[in-house]
Amino acid sequence: MRRGWKMALSGGLRCCRRVLSWVPVLVIVLVVLWSYYAYVFELCLVTVLSPAEKVIYLIFYHAIFVFFTWTYWKSIFTLPQQPNQKFHLSYTDKERYENEERPEVQKQMLVDMAKKLPVYTRTGSGAVRFCDRCHLIKPDRCHHCSVCAMCVLKMDHHCPWVNNCIGFSNYKFFLQFLAYSVLYCLYIATTVFSYFIKYWRGELPSVRSKFHVLFLLFVACMFFVSLVILFGYHCWLVSRNKTTLEAFCTPVFTSGPEKNGFNLGFIKNIQQVFGDNKKFWLIPVGSSPGDGHSFPMRSMNESQNPLLANEEPWEDNEDDNRDYPEVSSSLAVETET
């Protein structure tokens, strides 16, 4: 009876946490909806008197607004990608690993399994990176998100403002969202400023629109400052081909720690996020190269890293046909590196 109550309480708490996790997103949505009303109706249709100025303001505003909302949608609803079945322990290997009591033997078992996989990063102690929650050998740059209870390929961070884990599958969309958010706030601030001055000097009548215009400028400037700092930081990360986690914790390779282990040069680093085709760089469609499991490394020669050579990627092996356990899905702020 007591166990049943505990399970019911645990389930209720999980449900409450899921609901509350959408609160930051709801706040952003409400602010954006108000800004749309304030700009389109209170500024352009009520305050601005020139028809030509109304049209120009509205055309450019809606062009930016479409990309802003599109990238925000993609950041929220593009699910983080998990490692494929090749990295999961088979049912037999999982039982062997869990039944083995000697840590040194467990470590050697993981080393033997990792030899079949394109895994070049290690833990701080030099051991194979293994997730004991998902029961898999972590691909390079993959981390476990404790909020989402899953391992995420090329995990950057868990963002509460999109209620999603930012990683290989949606990092491009997140970066575009930051860029269009900065542009959105800047455009509003620059076009509203002249009318803010007119209201301040008393050149326009003190009507209801005055509050919306004044507050719109304040909110746009406030968000612009915070967003431009965050966007600048992520631009720096992209230029160095780093994730947020790698910026705080230097990745360890088989040869040792290397903070610039994935740095391929400025242009190639950008292409690692946006792809080779520049016509897709500004559009929120998937164009990042690779599958998120393996990444080019500048410290390894072509014979060690097939992604740097014109060779076929690692081949399937006979162990791939084994049955694998199911894996749960979600996202996270805290990570297990």
Side-chain angles (χ1 to χ4, degrees), residues 89-100 109:
L89 298 188
S90 67
Y91 181 78
T92 303
D93 290 338
K94 179 183 174 183
E95 278 197 332
R96 285 177 50 217
Y97 182 83
E98 291 179 344
N99 293 332
E100 180 57 59
M109 289 172 62

Side-chain angles (χ1 to χ4, degrees), residues 91-149:
Y91 181 78
T92 303
D93 290 338
K94 179 183 174 183
E95 278 197 332
R96 285 177 50 217
Y97 182 83
E98 291 179 344
N99 293 332
E100 180 57 59
E101 298 180 354
R102 293 167 294 178
E104 64 277 4
V105 177
Q106 287 183 323
K107 183 177 179 179
Q108 186 58 45
M109 289 172 62
L110 294 178
V111 170
D112 294 338
M113 297 174 196
K115 290 179 181 178
K116 307 172 186 177
L117 301 169
V119 176
Y120 301 101
T121 54
R122 296 290 185 265
T123 65
S125 61
V128 173
R129 299 171 65 243
F130 176 72
C131 179
D132 56 3
R133 300 176 186 178
C134 300
H135 301 103
L136 58 82
I137 294 175
K138 296 178 183 178
D140 295 342
R141 315 185 84 175
C142 174
H143 297 274
H144 185 89
C145 178
S146 60
V147 173
C148 307

Side-chain angles (χ1 to χ4, degrees), residues 86 115-118 306 311-320:
K86 296 177 184 295
K115 290 179 181 178
K116 307 172 186 177
L117 301 169
E311 302 176 5
E312 291 296 324
W314 44 286
E315 299 292 337
D316 295 349
N317 55 63
E318 58 183 7
D319 294 333
D320 296 338

Side-chain angles (χ1 to χ4, degrees), residues 12 19 30 41 58 62 80 94 118 130 136 147 169 175 179 186-187 194 215 219 232 243 248 276 279 303-304 312 333:
V19 173
L30 291 176
F41 293 95
L58 288 172
H62 282 94
K94 179 183 174 183
F130 176 72
L136 58 82
V147 173
S169 62
L175 200 64
L186 181 62
Y187 180 78
S194 61
F215 197 61
V219 173
T243 64
F248 285 94
D276 299 329
K279 68 181 181 181
S303 62
Q304 291 175 299
E312 291 296 324
V333 175

Side-chain angles (χ1 to χ4, degrees), residues 47 55 108 168 196 227 259 285:
T47 305
V55 172
Q108 186 58 45
F168 175 78
F196 169 82
L227 286 168
K259 65 179 181 178
V285 294

